[in-house]
Amino acid sequence: MTAVGDVRRRRIDELAAKAGAIPEGDGGLSLTRSAIRRLRRDPVAIIGAVIVVVFLVVAAFAPLLAPKDPVTQYLLSEIRPGLIPGPQEGFPLGVDNLGRDLLSRLIYGSRQSLMIGVVSTVLGLVVGMTLGVLAGAFGGWVDTVVMRFVDIILSIPGLLMAITVSVLLGQNQYSLMIAIAVVQVPVFARLLRGSMLAQRGSDYAVAAQALGVKKGRIVFGHVLPNSLSPVIVQATLSLATAIIEAAALSFLGLGDPDIARPEWGAMLANAQDFLSVRPWLAIWPALCIIVVALGFTLLGERLREALDPKFRR
Amino acid sequence: MLRFIVQRLLQLIPILLGLFVLLFAWLRALPGGPAQAALGERATPEAIAQYNELFGLDEPLYVQYLRFLGRAVTLDFGNSTQYGRPVTEVFLERFPGTIELTLFAMIFAIGVGIPLGYFAARRHGSVFDSASVVGSLLGVAIPVFFLAYLLRLLFAVELGWLPGSGRQDVRIDATRITNFYVLDGLLTREWDAAFDAFLHLILPAIALGTIPLAIIVRITRASVLDVVNEDYVRTANAKGLAMATVRRRHIVRNALLPVSTTIGLQTGLLLSGAVLTETVFAFGGVGLALRDAITYRDFAVLQGFILLLAVVYVLVNLLVDISYGLLDPRVRVR
């Protein structure tokens, strides 16, 4: 139908169509149940899940786990140009360039980083799904208008879009979240719409229509619940992208300026200036970002396979 | 085929118009509007009024939009507050650098990615295969700018093998023709200049190429594994074709179709990645200018560059679609 980024859109739509082809779960099990059963037997999915849970626990209990206060400055007398104290008694990972305990900052940073990831993804999910349901349920001109709008957003490369929004809204943590969410909206919208279109023609939807079930009930009671799986998979994968994207925006100077809230992306960006003095200042937050992103990616990929009939054994 | 291309071009128009509305609205929605953005936070109300009058900002919005559109079509985005020159001029001067970087990054990603993915699939289940899967997952999870810094620290700062910043050694007095530094060197037969520019490209190109590399490996591997089980491959084998012929004519050719899509997609996305990579390597392309524009709140540059980059991105995607139509006749018929 449309021209620009047709390929990119087609890929999203293919994913949607694929999920739309899922039959009822095997052996009387619901789709969700059988997917969960397969995930529990999948070592890779378990690794992903464990990583995610560990980081969530660390984030939740940060004040109990962190040995020091993340913003208090220690060892100031030992910090000189070209010298930042490394690991020592009381500071397992050493301190940063302002003498703050690195381990405690990493632990507290998990809160901010995960929150940015989760909030922006949920925001993108809610707006994207609303648009997707509008387009998928009403069709016709509503569909055209919504999808054109989505296509325009999709025609700007993600990071540039995030920069635009971030500059517009000013420099704070909320604008960071909104900027990342905006990038995700079109993906969710297209995915859900495609998936719903695939479901609308399915036998049970036609049957419900023939039985005289109201349109609203068909959409919300039948079509929508069955269209959700690719969206859930995408949301899991998006969490990883969101956290990396937040780091990139921080690096470009569009991050959260509040120093009372340590965040991995900002820590990493800040540590670049001291890379030749103490590379570990950058490596630790980078490792946290990589591991947590990997956790979400593994979980998401395996979730996709668990929900995809092609991979059923 | 011509109809297909014309159709695609026509469908571009609403998208571009929408894009223009979005970026037009963006500058207006900034706190204080364009006047405040241009004059700074301490501008007096009189100065703002004067500025608004001067640039026609006191007229109705639709008049302003039409004028903006008219200027945008002639590629006039006003003057940069940083450089004091027309935005388009700065863009054109800088864009060759980014094209050069993107091109080399893509060559790296394709040249390494396709063979890696192919051999991973051929040795499916082997250690090499697992390693390539893990590697490609890692490649996507690493923040680009961190990888760039690591490469720079290791190969430029510690080992000193490759230059770690800029597009060319400042001591080289190279002749500029096209602003593509490598090409300029070749055209003017200033071999040392071309070689030096090439050396400056290696590290940034590797950093920028990592994400597409990881994705290309994954797609190639998955796609080869898909194709190997197709009926036509079995048929080809059954009729006794040499294994090498089956691989070349049936497996690789069909497997590369989804890969070509990915390559097109990634080329567009590299424009985003270039902002980060160019910043780390102080590589004087569009991305570095965008970063500076963010730092100094140079809104004319931000607006103009993002619009121009979006147009380029849209055009690249169009090219991908067209080439896809050439590669896969089924797409044309639809």
Side-chain angles (χ1 to χ4, degrees), chain B:
Chain B
M1 193 63 212
L2 189 69
R3 232 190 98 197
F4 173 79
I5 295 174
V6 171
Q7 217 179 345
R8 291 283 141 118
L9 278 172
L10 285 179
Q11 283 163 347
L12 272 183
I13 295 171
I15 293 205
L16 286 180
L17 281 179
L19 202 64
F20 282 26
V21 173
L22 218 63
L23 278 162
F24 171 78
W26 177 66
L27 205 55
R28 264 99 214 119
L30 282 171
Q36 188 109 60
L39 299 175
E41 278 171 21
R42 273 172 293 184
T44 57
E46 292 80 27
I48 290 180
Q50 203 178 3
Y51 182 92
N52 283 345
E53 206 188 316
L54 191 64
F55 290 94
L57 294 168
D58 46 357
E59 287 177 71
L61 267 184
Y62 70 92
V63 178
Q64 287 185 43
Y65 176 66
L66 288 179
R67 189 176 304 121
F68 169 76
L69 206 61
R71 289 196 303 143
V73 168
T74 55
L75 297 180
D76 175 10
F77 297 103
N79 280 330
S80 149
T81 49
Q82 263 179 100
Y83 308 100
R85 288 190 294 145
V87 169
T88 314
E89 199 181 298
V90 179
F91 185 86
L92 289 179
E93 186 183 289
R94 296 251 180 166
F95 197 42
T98 303
I99 296 178
E100 223 170 36
L101 177 60
T102 311
L103 207 68
F104 275 82
M106 224 49 224
I107 292 173
F108 164 71
I110 295 170
V112 179
I114 292 183
L116 264 186
Y118 178 71
F119 286 111
R122 270 188 64 184
R123 293 181 181 45
H124 184 48
S126 68
V127 179
F128 177 73
D129 183 30
S130 315
S132 78
V133 172
V134 173
S136 65
L137 278 172
L138 270 179
V140 184
I142 294 183
V144 175
F145 61 94
F146 175 65
L147 181 73
Y149 263 114
L150 277 189
L151 285 173
R152 201 174 93 97
L153 181 70
L154 187 62
F155 293 105
V157 180
E158 295 292 327
L159 295 170
W161 290 352
L162 289 164
S165 66
R167 289 184 61 190
Q168 202 167 45
D169 197 315
V170 283
R171 283 163 297 186
I172 292 180
D173 181 27
T175 322
R176 302 269 176 264
I177 306 173
T178 58
N179 265 329
F180 290 94
Y181 284 12
V182 176
L183 187 67
D184 279 355
L186 296 177
L187 287 176
T188 55
R189 294 167 183 259
E190 291 168 355
W191 308 120
D192 57 329
F195 185 66
D196 187 68
F198 171 70
L199 288 183
H200 277 82
L201 275 168
I202 295 177
L203 288 180
I206 292 177
L208 185 58
T210 308
I211 292 182
L213 170 71
I215 293 171
I216 288 174
V217 168
R218 261 175 61 183
I219 303 281
T220 311
R221 177 180 170 276
S223 155
V224 169
L225 285 179
D226 263 0
V227 170
V228 167
N229 292 321
E230 290 285 349
D231 291 341
Y232 54 77
V233 173
R234 190 156 6 101
T235 310
N237 275 326
K239 69 185 180 190
L241 286 182
M243 202 54 216
T245 317
V246 178
R247 276 191 199 126
R248 204 180 54 240
R249 303 267 323 256
H250 298 267
I251 299 183
V252 171
R253 201 180 260 195
N254 282 298
L256 285 187
L257 205 57
V259 179
S260 71
T261 321
T262 313
I263 290 172
L265 276 180
Q266 293 301 320
T267 311
L269 291 178
L270 282 187
L271 294 175
S272 302
V275 181
L276 302 169
T277 319
E278 287 182 8
T279 302
V280 174
F281 290 100
F283 188 92
V286 171
L288 189 63
L290 251 181
R291 212 291 296 259
D292 290 343
I294 295 171
T295 314
Y296 300 110
R297 297 290 189 265
D298 188 342
F299 293 102
V301 166
L302 272 176
Q303 189 187 36
F305 273 38
I306 287 178
L307 200 65
L308 288 169
L309 281 177
V311 170
V312 171
Y313 180 66
V314 164
L315 290 177
V316 168
N317 272 325
L318 180 75
L319 281 180
V320 173
D321 281 354
I322 291 173
S323 69
Y324 204 67
L326 286 174
L327 282 171
D328 187 350
R330 282 172 299 183
V331 178
R332 256 176 290 160
V333 185
R334 269 195 322 151

Side-chain angles (χ1 to χ4, degrees), chain A residues 188-246:
Chain A
F188 287 122
R190 279 207 80 87
L191 206 52
L192 188 62
R193 167 185 174 268
S195 175
M196 283 180 73
L197 286 185
Q199 291 289 334
R200 252 198 347 196
S202 63
D203 291 344
Y204 69 85
V206 177
Q209 209 174 354
L211 285 171
V213 180
K214 284 208 189 91
K215 199 176 174 193
R217 270 202 69 181
I218 299 182
V219 169
F220 289 102
H222 297 276
V223 174
L224 187 59
N226 281 300
S227 311
L228 284 180
S229 63
V231 178
I232 295 168
V233 170
Q234 184 59 42
T236 319
L237 295 172
S238 290
L239 281 166
T241 336
I243 290 172
I244 298 174
E245 203 118 288

